[in-house]
Amino acid sequence: RAFDMGLVLHDWLRQMTVRHRSPNVRLKLPVAEMLLVPDRELSRHVLAGPPRHDGYGPGTMKREGMSYLAPRALTIAEDEHWARLRPLNERVLCAGRPHELQKIFLAHVRRAFAKPVDSAEDLRSRMGRAMLAIVFGEGVAPVELADETRAIFALVQNPVKRTLAGDRGRRRVAALYDTLRRLWQDGKGVSDSSLLGMAREARDGEDIETLLEQV
């Protein structure tokens, strides 16, 4: 059968839990120490409360990667910062329930995938097109923003690439925020039937720069 990395990792993890007589596995890597938590009860315990600096919070690798793009993002926030941003994100993303704009968003996805996909790159391009329509509204954001966002996230996910990118990478991030800021400030640009339009409505005094990092 074809090599399947997912199955290999699954079998390795199962063997580790049997060997150490624990459902959880502690890994010591050259760059970090990690705890894999397949155990449902421990997982519930870890996720039960909000992220805190003196409790469970974002890991170092996640914090360093996400800080490159958005140091004030909810995904790496803790304590009062997390508590302040969470309602905004829940309102915009309609957490825990069907999104109030789901019919509009589904129409964007159907338009992007109206024809058969013929390659991986074609798939990425269509996903990017749908993403721009959902976040900003149909035809609002420049089409190249999707590719630029993908390139920047490759830096977020890879510390080696971040280091090699140097000032060029930081300029790309700055240019991304220039575009987001322009779309935010352009009153005629952002559609009300978009995530950014909902964010404008749910802003509740949050400063623009912090809000753009949530986008």
Side-chain angles (χ1 to χ4, degrees):
R1 64 180 180 177
F3 177 77
D4 188 323
M5 178 58 75
L7 287 176
V8 171
L9 291 174
H10 177 271
D11 291 342
W12 171 82
L13 179 59
R14 182 172 54 80
Q15 293 168 11
M16 289 286 287
T17 58
V18 170
R19 184 183 311 156
H20 295 284
R21 299 179 182 178
S22 170
N24 309 300
V25 178
R26 186 179 179 185
L27 297 178
K28 288 188 176 182
L29 305 175
V31 295
E33 188 170 335
M34 303 174 67
L35 178 66
L36 302 182
V37 186
D39 179 62
R40 188 169 296 176
E41 288 305 315
L42 181 55
S43 179
R44 284 199 186 103
H45 173 69
V46 171
L47 298 174
R52 304 193 317 270
H53 76 280
D54 58 349
Y56 295 109
T60 302
M61 294 175 65
K62 180 178 182 179
R63 187 186 301 279
E64 289 179 353
M66 204 53 209
S67 292
Y68 183 82
L69 175 62
R72 291 171 289 190
L74 175 72
T75 50
I76 54 174
E78 296 175 323
D79 304 322
E80 293 181 5
H81 184 206
W82 184 91
R84 191 179 77 245
L85 292 176
R86 178 71 181 187
L88 169 69
N89 281 263
E90 288 184 344
R91 170 71 184 88
V92 174
L93 299 178
C94 298
R97 66 186 192 279
H99 200 282
E100 60 188 60
L101 298 179
Q102 63 176 340
K103 290 184 179 179
I104 295 173
F105 293 169
L106 183 58
H108 293 321
V109 174
R110 284 175 170 159
R111 274 194 292 275
F113 289 89
K115 297 179 181 179
V117 175
D118 58 21
S119 67
E121 187 54 39
D122 185 30
L123 175 63
R124 296 187 189 100
S125 176
R126 293 174 191 230
M127 290 177 67
R129 195 183 320 154
M131 179 271 289
L132 292 181
I134 289 169
V135 175
F136 302 103
E138 189 75 41
V140 173
V143 294
E144 60 271 16
L145 183 60
D147 289 338
E148 188 62 13
T149 301
R150 189 173 60 181
I152 290 172
F153 264 95
L155 300 179
V156 171
Q157 297 165 354
N158 191 314
V160 176
K161 287 184 177 181
R162 289 200 301 271
T163 301
L164 294 176
D167 290 340
R168 179 174 57 86
R170 285 184 281 274
R171 286 195 296 271
R172 295 184 82 163
V173 173
L176 171 66
Y177 277 106
D178 284 344
T179 300
L180 293 178
R181 200 174 295 111
R182 194 160 54 248
L183 288 166
W184 172 267
Q185 293 172 343
D186 185 359
K188 67 180 182 354
V190 178
S191 167
D192 290 338
S193 300
S194 67
L195 292 181
L196 190 55
M198 292 182 69
R200 291 170 70 101
E201 291 296 318
R203 179 183 171 188
D204 194 26
E206 192 64 64
D207 69 276
I208 293 177
E209 299 305 315
T210 297
L211 190 142
L212 291 181
E213 291 192 19
Q214 314 317 305
V215 177

